[in-house]
Amino acid sequence: MRSIKKIHQAEWRPIGDLVTYSPMPTASLQMIDPFIFLNHHGPQVYPENNNGLPFGPHPHRGMETVTFILDGDIAHKDSGGHKSVIESGGVQWMTAGSGLIHAEVSSEEFKKKGGDLEILQLWVNLPAKHKMEEPKYIGLQKNDIPVAITEDKKVKAQVVSGELLGIKGAFETFTDINLSTVFFEANSGLNIDIPVSQNIFFYVIKGSLEVNGKTVQERHLAEFNNDDPKLQISATEESILLFGFATPFEEPVVARGPFVMNSMQEIDEAYQDFQAGKMGRWTE
């Protein structure tokens, strides 16, 4: 079985009134190539007449954002002309590529009525050859995302990209990034083989899971060695896992603010291009 190198606790990093935990990067873990950043917002309950999510217009270049809406909603808008409101159970995949400006806020209805909110945003890197691709955005509601189910029907996975249990994911990707949100009933399990050439992303959103003999609690991320393909995952309580695996790029990574490139020169160029309006203009 694949051995665990270390288990990392998410750091508490609230953003105004938004409950936020950050499993990566932290003092103990910079990244798991090509997974570079994760924020876990909530769970929390917003009152009526709230201000909603605080992520107003900001740019990105050189990476992709994958946003998992477990509860609540996100109103997305970007300088490429994309606009949507994705609700509970939905997922957004935005390829920043050469650069765009986007905002992720709450819908007018959510701000008026309030309600439960829990959202995760993962940044995945783009290899050097794809960093300047044309930006694109796709938002899918819950019913548009395929679900893989174990034979005993106790484990269900939303297959976001790649493939899991023979089910192909909803989103096409530039690289072999596999991502799923996996829902475990109490007393359930999942056995899976991951090639040793691929890195695993394993973050417990809710509950507690035992993987290869070690317990990973809620809001903890397991970092694995690349020494064996086998994963044996079991749950004694209802649990949710953000699960990914991918071949690492093994390229230099320079991240500054919203830009993720391969050198400081490219970061400087990104800021210059943004200021020059080359990532689009923001219109309300």
Side-chain angles (χ1 to χ4, degrees), residues 117-213:
L117 183 137
E118 186 169 17
I119 291 169
L120 290 94
Q121 184 168 93
L122 176 69
W123 294 11
V124 293
N125 201 7
L126 283 169
K129 65 183 178 182
H130 290 308
K131 281 196 178 293
M132 298 299 283
E133 293 282 349
E134 186 177 341
K136 69 175 184 178
Y137 165 84
I138 297 174
L140 297 179
Q141 305 292 1
K142 180 179 179 178
N143 291 341
D144 297 322
I145 300 169
V147 176
I149 305 173
T150 54
E151 282 186 24
D152 63 5
K153 297 184 169 51
K154 287 189 172 184
V155 180
K156 296 180 181 179
Q158 271 194 313
V159 189
V160 175
S161 68
E163 191 175 299
L164 191 71
L165 300 177
I167 300 297
K168 194 174 184 304
F171 294 89
E172 294 290 335
T173 57
F174 287 109
T175 62
D176 66 356
I177 287 186
N178 292 260
L179 280 172
S180 296
T181 314
V182 190
F183 299 83
F184 294 82
E185 292 183 13
N187 303 312
S188 66
L190 176 66
N191 294 336
I192 186 169
D193 286 5
I194 307 295
V196 293
S197 60
Q198 295 187 322
N199 288 343
I200 291 173
F201 190 85
F202 190 104
Y203 176 69
V204 179
I205 299 168
K206 175 187 174 183
S208 174
L209 294 170
E210 187 173 288
V211 55
N212 292 358

Side-chain angles (χ1 to χ4, degrees), residues 4 14 48 71 78 92 122 133 206 214 225 228 234-235 248:
I4 291 178
E48 293 179 357
D71 269 314
D78 65 48
Q92 300 180 138
L122 176 69
E133 293 282 349
K206 175 187 174 183
K214 287 199 173 183
N225 293 304
D228 193 274
S234 60

Side-chain angles (χ1 to χ4, degrees), residues 202-268:
F202 190 104
Y203 176 69
V204 179
I205 299 168
K206 175 187 174 183
S208 174
L209 294 170
E210 187 173 288
V211 55
N212 292 358
K214 287 199 173 183
T215 300
V216 186
Q217 302 281 3
E218 185 171 287
R219 293 197 292 270
H220 284 71
L221 186 152
E223 181 186 7
F224 290 84
N225 293 304
N226 294 63
D227 53 4
D228 193 274
K230 293 195 179 302
L231 283 189
Q232 293 182 353
I233 310 167
S234 60
T236 55
E237 61 182 292
E238 191 178 302
S239 301
I240 305 174
L241 171 69
L242 181 56
F243 183 55
F245 49 98
T247 304
F249 302 156
E250 297 178 345
E251 295 178 349
V253 176
V254 182
R256 294 292 185 277
F259 305 131
V260 182
M261 303 302 290
N262 299 108
S263 69
M264 267 310 300
Q265 180 183 340
E266 290 173 333
I267 293 288
D268 292 340

Side-chain angles (χ1 to χ4, degrees), residues 12-66:
W12 165 242
R13 293 182 192 159
I15 302 169
D17 62 357
L18 178 62
V19 170
T20 302
Y21 298 90
S22 184
M24 190 178 72
T26 63
S28 65
L29 180 66
Q30 274 303 108
M31 65 179 288
I32 296 174
D33 186 10
F35 307 97
I36 50 182
F37 172 96
L38 178 65
N39 263 353
H40 181 179
H41 306 298
Q44 69 190 99
V45 180
Y46 270 73
E48 293 179 357
N49 302 313
N50 63 79
N51 293 320
L53 294 169
F55 305 113
H58 58 281
H60 284 295
R61 172 181 278 181
M63 35 66 79
E64 303 182 281
T65 63
V66 191

